[in-house]
Amino acid sequence: MMTFEIKSRDAMGRIGILNINGKKIETPTIMPVVHPNPKKQVVDIDLINKLADVIITNSYIIYKTKHLREIAIDKGVHKLVGFDKVIVTDSGSFQLGVYGDVDVEPLEIVEFQEMIGVDVGTILDIPTPPDVDKEIAEKDLEETLRRAKLSIELKKDRGFKLLLNGTIQGSTYLDLRRKSAKEMAKLNFDIYPIGAVVPLMEEYRYRDVVEIIINSKMYLPTNKPVHLFGCGHPMFFALAVALGCDLFDSAAYAIYAKDDRYLTERGTLHLDEIKDLKSFPCSCPVCSSYTPKELASLNKKDREKLLAEHNLYVTFEEINRIKEAIREGSLWELVEERCRSHPKLLEAYRVLKNYIDYIEKFDPVTKKSAFFYSGVESMFRPEVLRHKKRLKRIKYEKVYITTISSSVEKPYHENLNVIETDIDILIKHPVFGFVPYYIDTMYPLSQNEIPELYEFEKEINKKFYDEFIVWLKRKIGEDNILDIMTYNYYTSYFQSTKKGFNSDNLRIRKMLQYQYGYDIIDDDLINKIKVVRSKNTGRLRQVLDENNNILFTVRSNDNLLIPSERGAKLLWEKILYPRYRVVVNKEAEEFIREGRNVFAKFVVNCDEELRPYEEVLVVNEDDELLGYGTTILNGIELKEFNYGLAVKVRGGIKKVLK
Amino acid sequence: MMTFEIKSRDAMGRIGILNINGKKIETPTIMPVVHPNPKKQVVDIDLINKLADVIITNSYIIYKTKHLREIAIDKGVHKLVGFDKVIVTDSGSFQLGVYGDVDVEPLEIVEFQEMIGVDVGTILDIPTPPDVDKEIAEKDLEETLRRAKLSIELKKDRGFKLLLNGTIQGSTYLDLRRKSAKEMAKLNFDIYPIGAVVPLMEEYRYRDVVEIIINSKMYLPTNKPVHLFGCGHPMFFALAVALGCDLFDSAAYAIYAKDDRYLTERGTLHLDEIKDLKSFPCSCPVCSSYTPKELASLNKKDREKLLAEHNLYVTFEEINRIKEAIREGSLWELVEERCRSHPKLLEAYRVLKNYIDYIEKFDPVTKKSAFFYSGVESMFRPEVLRHKKRLKRIKYEKVYITTISSSVEKPYHENLNVIETDIDILIKHPVFGFVPYYIDTMYPLSQNEIPELYEFEKEINKKFYDEFIVWLKRKIGEDNILDIMTYNYYTSYFQSTKKGFNSDNLRIRKMLQYQYGYDIIDDDLINKIKVVRSKNTGRLRQVLDENNNILFTVRSNDNLLIPSERGAKLLWEKILYPRYRVVVNKEAEEFIREGRNVFAKFVVNCDEELRPYEEVLVVNEDDELLGYGTTILNGIELKEFNYGLAVKVRGGIKKVLK
Ligand SMILES: [Mg+2]
Ligand SMILES: [Mg+2]
Ligand SMILES: [Zn+2]
Ligand SMILES: [Zn+2]
């Protein structure tokens, strides 16, 4: 039995709880490769036990080695290895890749893995190397798919307890990777490893790895963990997690140690290069007990063991750093730092631009931490793309296009001395394209840090400006657009078109348009609502109806509008089904009305365009409003997950007795 | 007594040995701030002793606190604090900054520091805050300079043993910082702290700090350590070291711990933010013994101590990382990674572009590790600037300008199937401007990694191309320049202009022009030299004269031409005095002729344009050739240093008896 649920997220990365046969693993994580023969294991299993909740070992080696096989059959793989938590095994497909042949039948090894009590076994897939002839890759893939099907049938027929890894293959052919993912998805494996990337990693072909990951992820079920098989170098983890990889394994910690190589989150150092340093560039228990000179002078065996320990510490350290970044909403920032440690990593990161429409669907609409610009690459991040798209949600009638000095602090409207108007003012922005004056407090328009830009960087959005203006002209007519130079200078232009104009109310109206894509506060309501400002900051904090009931709270960190029950009802009236809705079945109805959270298994439909962390309405199949809350899952995941939290409910709505 | 010498270097950063009263410190390093009252010290002095070779404490607090004062006068400051290694003290100028006044006379506190046995004391300078009226900054600076002069006189008159810190002030006025540096330089202090940057650091005004550092460094003697006073955050160390800062102090490790703040090399986390993580993103002894939850649940005092210990570990860890980067020649790479951790740091890094002519003088001409492109910022690095300048060293007669596909591997000439010609071929390069075909193996033209570039990045050098072509036209006439499209296509154009053309010999000739700026192999010699290729790689390895004597070895990692004795004599004949020369006094002559290294104290003159790690000639004042070797110091430092290694000599040249 396996369950998987998402606890926190950023980019396509997620902190998940993976429950395997009652044993919990927090993902993303790394499984150290442990040799099934304790005598051949370089790092003590005690340290592995301390650091890891899951390990991987090789069932084929156990199968082929008489004394290991006997112990494993007799006492189980956990006793053999000395590890009580989750044990994953490979199937011999690694040996198949290296030697071209293995001495076991595909179903036999699956059966063997079950027999020795493995938690997660692996089918005997064919690991096709990069750049082979396409026919070979296709033939291999057919065989892998055939074995996959047989293995799943075997497991079902015999009622196997073990979970199964269904590995994605297809060499460097992205269409084959997509096909592999699509077909394997149908077979309902428990975990999806992405296979045969080791040769690419070894040649620094990170760009190929990134394209393989994305093309696989796009067709894999979102509710299953993805394991980037054979990737054990911490420098690649942040990028892989940001693309939705949940699991890694590391033989690297031991293999590198054998060659006196010292892992860091930025790359690899050879002990020879650092042996003259006074101290190690690390504070792990190994590095704070030995000087490089001392370590280098130890005998081969001791040195290898200590280096492997260090390698393991920094490997887990990077996993922890990534988890922290996910919780803070700064995973892209971490990725953009890590990608500077090797130009091939930077090249791989730059490729994401081509897939950003897909990636954006998984990126939360709001984050705890600000958007940090780390270089021109940041221009193409999902937060920027989403804003540019959502700019079109605002209902424009008359627009001024303007620029302001880059020295004006955010939010702009608090630092510009202008006569306010009910005309939409679009302030040109070198990164975000345009910042509409009336939504300038909303994430990420105020929650960002951007350095002074180079001149050529300021030109990058020129095409976007032009295209947007063309769209706007078509929408509201050329006569309703005035392109003016700088804001302060032309204040005389800013005259309201309507009487009784209230800039606070207009601000709320525009913010809601931007957040939901609908005109929640229409021409009628705009004169009835009232705003409440914070006594401390003077900033907008609440929106009230004409009877002074709260409709929305303006959340201080991101200025999203958080509905009250009345606000939710208003949203429900104004937003057409199924937009901004999560639909649950009858069974859940009463729970939601009582204010309990929506779990994924109750979701029957939803707005497919929902992103994580959006404010949504929970309705039944008749579109009756049951509650309102915040999505944990996006529109794709809401349909695919059947376990774990889907919407964190803020409030339930009691049934009105007729 | 203090000596300071450079052991290894990169950017303007240096690994130095600072010897203070017989106690050695390897720089760059950090001095933890230790409270003079052991009861107020959060971290045990044992851990400080383990990690640090130098600490800083406050002489004014000792002076003002009766029982501390008595112990210090009686037993000395080392016993008071419990630290035998180097102790630096501040003078009360921090208190002056905070309270506007101190209760001690400027000379009294200098005298007191001597009395209690401080190793390095500090004058009572005036720490002017940022952005004050210029008149105030000027007045404060005058007073600091007056006190500096009096303090130095006092030390001299009374024969004080303590070394003195001469702090640079001037607020945020760069002209005042320059003036301060110039005047303080005249007074011959032992160490130069750059003062009053703490308020700037606290406001993330890293750009101002960078400009202050550079404007001070430009006028400070290169042979004295520079201490960035009050900068204790590891995220800024790499950049500060790259600008020539040697010493840091950290009160931050303790101050941040008091507020539950957790330092990392990438920024600061609050314990609240990370207390829900399963494990810390660090492997130091603290973080591998406690979970965040455990640490957060400790009482305030224990928590503060452990956080301070962690903060200290990561602070030293970053120093070690920086030293490793200096040794590898990858300090710019580390800086370019660190600058992505906050946009204000990136902005600060981008400012270096304005000072790159100065910075380039200190950047070694060759590095162990390759040039890594980390983003568009890398276009403006000193290695690129130097190449663009040195392109003009080649003696052009007839030139083809061409482009090649970005998929051609380096070195280009091994991967292009072309008829070679004795015409100079300049291959357009998006980063380096042009790669001359015949020097395409030389650092950094083959030793670089560049990702696939964005289209706009490829346009950045357009202005450089145009300016260079204008220069070239003036030099050799428009008729001698042929701008052709792509190399392979136009091979028919490549016809040699001279008979008996030997492309290997031409390659050596051009490489020497590029390396030395002189035509070492002239029209006569070109037909006499021979090249030897490596049996393994087939690459050029040696240059022989007509009698098969070695003139130069082509060094495999960077393809610089390393002269033999004959080669050195040839260089000496062809290169005009004082170019590529280090001139030593009579006293050193015999030693150099015997092949011993050149120490800085013997240097009387040199080519001011020399860079670190260049191959140079060592001559006496009559320009007689004494030896040849590699510079450790650049042309400015060769004149300023009077201690330590100046030129690592490869060979001495015996006197010819007449
Ligand atoms: Mg952030
Ligand atoms: Mg490098
Ligand atoms: Zn370590
Ligand atoms: Zn730590």
Side-chain angles (χ1 to χ4, degrees), chain A residues 397-410:
Chain A
E397 289 179 24
K398 199 171 164 75
V399 170
Y400 288 144
I401 311 279
T402 189
T403 61
I404 58 172
S405 154
S406 66
S407 66
V408 178
E409 294 198 15
K410 299 176 295 267

PDB file of all heavy atoms in Angstrom, chain A residues 397-410:
ATOM      1  N   GLU A 397     -11.038  49.973 -20.272  1.00  0.00           N
ATOM      2  CA  GLU A 397     -11.917  50.806 -21.112  1.00  0.00           C
ATOM      3  C   GLU A 397     -11.101  51.912 -21.762  1.00  0.00           C
ATOM      4  O   GLU A 397     -11.162  52.167 -22.945  1.00  0.00           O
ATOM      5  CB  GLU A 397     -13.048  51.420 -20.276  1.00  0.00           C
ATOM      6  CG  GLU A 397     -14.058  50.383 -19.840  1.00  0.00           C
ATOM      7  CD  GLU A 397     -15.166  50.998 -18.991  1.00  0.00           C
ATOM      8  OE1 GLU A 397     -15.421  52.216 -19.105  1.00  0.00           O
ATOM      9  OE2 GLU A 397     -15.750  50.238 -18.189  1.00  0.00           O
ATOM     10  N   LYS A 398     -10.288  52.554 -20.920  1.00  0.00           N
ATOM     11  CA  LYS A 398      -9.434  53.637 -21.394  1.00  0.00           C
ATOM     12  C   LYS A 398      -8.100  53.437 -20.672  1.00  0.00           C
ATOM     13  O   LYS A 398      -8.088  53.117 -19.475  1.00  0.00           O
ATOM     14  CB  LYS A 398     -10.079  54.963 -20.987  1.00  0.00           C
ATOM     15  CG  LYS A 398      -9.601  56.179 -21.753  1.00  0.00           C
ATOM     16  CD  LYS A 398     -10.484  57.394 -21.399  1.00  0.00           C
ATOM     17  CE  LYS A 398      -9.806  58.678 -21.833  1.00  0.00           C
ATOM     18  NZ  LYS A 398      -9.863  58.910 -23.283  1.00  0.00           N
ATOM     19  N   VAL A 399      -7.006  53.560 -21.393  1.00  0.00           N
ATOM     20  CA  VAL A 399      -5.705  53.219 -20.815  1.00  0.00           C
ATOM     21  C   VAL A 399      -4.653  54.289 -21.098  1.00  0.00           C
ATOM     22  O   VAL A 399      -4.556  54.787 -22.222  1.00  0.00           O
ATOM     23  CB  VAL A 399      -5.205  51.853 -21.383  1.00  0.00           C
ATOM     24  CG1 VAL A 399      -3.766  51.591 -21.005  1.00  0.00           C
ATOM     25  CG2 VAL A 399      -6.107  50.718 -20.923  1.00  0.00           C
ATOM     26  N   TYR A 400      -3.912  54.632 -20.072  1.00  0.00           N
ATOM     27  CA  TYR A 400      -2.694  55.422 -20.260  1.00  0.00           C
ATOM     28  C   TYR A 400      -1.495  54.496 -20.122  1.00  0.00           C
ATOM     29  O   TYR A 400      -1.409  53.740 -19.154  1.00  0.00           O
ATOM     30  CB  TYR A 400      -2.577  56.505 -19.184  1.00  0.00           C
ATOM     31  CG  TYR A 400      -3.548  57.641 -19.332  1.00  0.00           C
ATOM     32  CD1 TYR A 400      -4.103  58.245 -18.206  1.00  0.00           C
ATOM     33  CD2 TYR A 400      -3.884  58.142 -20.587  1.00  0.00           C
ATOM     34  CE1 TYR A 400      -4.997  59.303 -18.336  1.00  0.00           C
ATOM     35  CE2 TYR A 400      -4.776  59.195 -20.728  1.00  0.00           C
ATOM     36  CZ  TYR A 400      -5.322  59.766 -19.601  1.00  0.00           C
ATOM     37  OH  TYR A 400      -6.197  60.810 -19.721  1.00  0.00           O
ATOM     38  N   ILE A 401      -0.600  54.574 -21.067  1.00  0.00           N
ATOM     39  CA  ILE A 401       0.656  53.828 -20.976  1.00  0.00           C
ATOM     40  C   ILE A 401       1.717  54.824 -20.529  1.00  0.00           C
ATOM     41  O   ILE A 401       1.841  55.893 -21.125  1.00  0.00           O
ATOM     42  CB  ILE A 401       1.094  53.268 -22.348  1.00  0.00           C
ATOM     43  CG1 ILE A 401      -0.051  52.531 -23.040  1.00  0.00           C
ATOM     44  CG2 ILE A 401       2.350  52.412 -22.212  1.00  0.00           C
ATOM     45  CD1 ILE A 401      -0.280  51.134 -22.594  1.00  0.00           C
ATOM     46  N   THR A 402       2.477  54.460 -19.528  1.00  0.00           N
ATOM     47  CA  THR A 402       3.457  55.422 -19.042  1.00  0.00           C
ATOM     48  C   THR A 402       4.700  54.720 -18.512  1.00  0.00           C
ATOM     49  O   THR A 402       4.757  53.495 -18.436  1.00  0.00           O
ATOM     50  CB  THR A 402       2.827  56.320 -17.962  1.00  0.00           C
ATOM     51  OG1 THR A 402       3.724  57.386 -17.656  1.00  0.00           O
ATOM     52  CG2 THR A 402       2.530  55.545 -16.697  1.00  0.00           C
ATOM     53  N   THR A 403       5.691  55.497 -18.186  1.00  0.00           N
ATOM     54  CA  THR A 403       6.884  54.942 -17.542  1.00  0.00           C
ATOM     55  C   THR A 403       7.146  55.775 -16.295  1.00  0.00           C
ATOM     56  O   THR A 403       6.729  56.925 -16.211  1.00  0.00           O
ATOM     57  CB  THR A 403       8.135  55.041 -18.435  1.00  0.00           C
ATOM     58  OG1 THR A 403       8.373  56.416 -18.707  1.00  0.00           O
ATOM     59  CG2 THR A 403       7.961  54.287 -19.731  1.00  0.00           C
ATOM     60  N   ILE A 404       7.833  55.172 -15.342  1.00  0.00           N
ATOM     61  CA  ILE A 404       8.275  55.962 -14.191  1.00  0.00           C
ATOM     62  C   ILE A 404       9.747  55.670 -13.964  1.00  0.00           C
ATOM     63  O   ILE A 404      10.286  54.680 -14.472  1.00  0.00           O
ATOM     64  CB  ILE A 404       7.455  55.635 -12.916  1.00  0.00           C
ATOM     65  CG1 ILE A 404       7.563  54.156 -12.569  1.00  0.00           C
ATOM     66  CG2 ILE A 404       6.007  56.059 -13.080  1.00  0.00           C
ATOM     67  CD1 ILE A 404       6.938  53.816 -11.232  1.00  0.00           C
ATOM     68  N   SER A 405      10.359  56.523 -13.214  1.00  0.00           N
ATOM     69  CA  SER A 405      11.781  56.358 -12.918  1.00  0.00           C
ATOM     70  C   SER A 405      11.985  55.064 -12.147  1.00  0.00           C
ATOM     71  O   SER A 405      11.165  54.672 -11.321  1.00  0.00           O
ATOM     72  CB  SER A 405      12.254  57.546 -12.080  1.00  0.00           C
ATOM     73  OG  SER A 405      13.357  57.180 -11.296  1.00  0.00           O
ATOM     74  N   SER A 406      13.117  54.397 -12.410  1.00  0.00           N
ATOM     75  CA  SER A 406      13.383  53.133 -11.722  1.00  0.00           C
ATOM     76  C   SER A 406      13.678  53.358 -10.243  1.00  0.00           C
ATOM     77  O   SER A 406      13.764  52.413  -9.473  1.00  0.00           O
ATOM     78  CB  SER A 406      14.548  52.401 -12.388  1.00  0.00           C
ATOM     79  OG  SER A 406      15.737  53.132 -12.208  1.00  0.00           O
ATOM     80  N   SER A 407      13.813  54.628  -9.844  1.00  0.00           N
ATOM     81  CA  SER A 407      14.092  54.888  -8.437  1.00  0.00           C
ATOM     82  C   SER A 407      12.827  54.983  -7.583  1.00  0.00           C
ATOM     83  O   SER A 407      12.904  55.033  -6.363  1.00  0.00           O
ATOM     84  CB  SER A 407      14.920  56.165  -8.292  1.00  0.00           C
ATOM     85  OG  SER A 407      14.145  57.264  -8.705  1.00  0.00           O
ATOM     86  N   VAL A 408      11.657  54.988  -8.223  1.00  0.00           N
ATOM     87  CA  VAL A 408      10.411  55.033  -7.446  1.00  0.00           C
ATOM     88  C   VAL A 408      10.245  53.714  -6.690  1.00  0.00           C
ATOM     89  O   VAL A 408      10.381  52.641  -7.272  1.00  0.00           O
ATOM     90  CB  VAL A 408       9.182  55.261  -8.362  1.00  0.00           C
ATOM     91  CG1 VAL A 408       7.894  55.251  -7.543  1.00  0.00           C
ATOM     92  CG2 VAL A 408       9.317  56.573  -9.119  1.00  0.00           C
ATOM     93  N   GLU A 409       9.994  53.813  -5.404  1.00  0.00           N
ATOM     94  CA  GLU A 409       9.872  52.593  -4.611  1.00  0.00           C
ATOM     95  C   GLU A 409       8.494  51.963  -4.732  1.00  0.00           C
ATOM     96  O   GLU A 409       7.529  52.617  -5.104  1.00  0.00           O
ATOM     97  CB  GLU A 409      10.213  52.893  -3.150  1.00  0.00           C
ATOM     98  CG  GLU A 409      11.680  53.266  -3.018  1.00  0.00           C
ATOM     99  CD  GLU A 409      12.202  53.144  -1.598  1.00  0.00           C
ATOM    100  OE1 GLU A 409      11.539  52.527  -0.766  1.00  0.00           O
ATOM    101  OE2 GLU A 409      13.299  53.680  -1.352  1.00  0.00           O
ATOM    102  N   LYS A 410       8.439  50.693  -4.425  1.00  0.00           N
ATOM    103  CA  LYS A 410       7.195  49.931  -4.508  1.00  0.00           C
ATOM    104  C   LYS A 410       6.460  49.987  -3.164  1.00  0.00           C
ATOM    105  O   LYS A 410       7.106  50.025  -2.136  1.00  0.00           O
ATOM    106  CB  LYS A 410       7.510  48.465  -4.847  1.00  0.00           C
ATOM    107  CG  LYS A 410       8.204  48.281  -6.184  1.00  0.00           C
ATOM    108  CD  LYS A 410       8.560  46.824  -6.411  1.00  0.00           C
ATOM    109  CE  LYS A 410       9.584  46.281  -5.451  1.00  0.00           C
ATOM    110  NZ  LYS A 410      10.969  46.330  -5.853  1.00  0.00           N
TER     111      LYS A 410
END
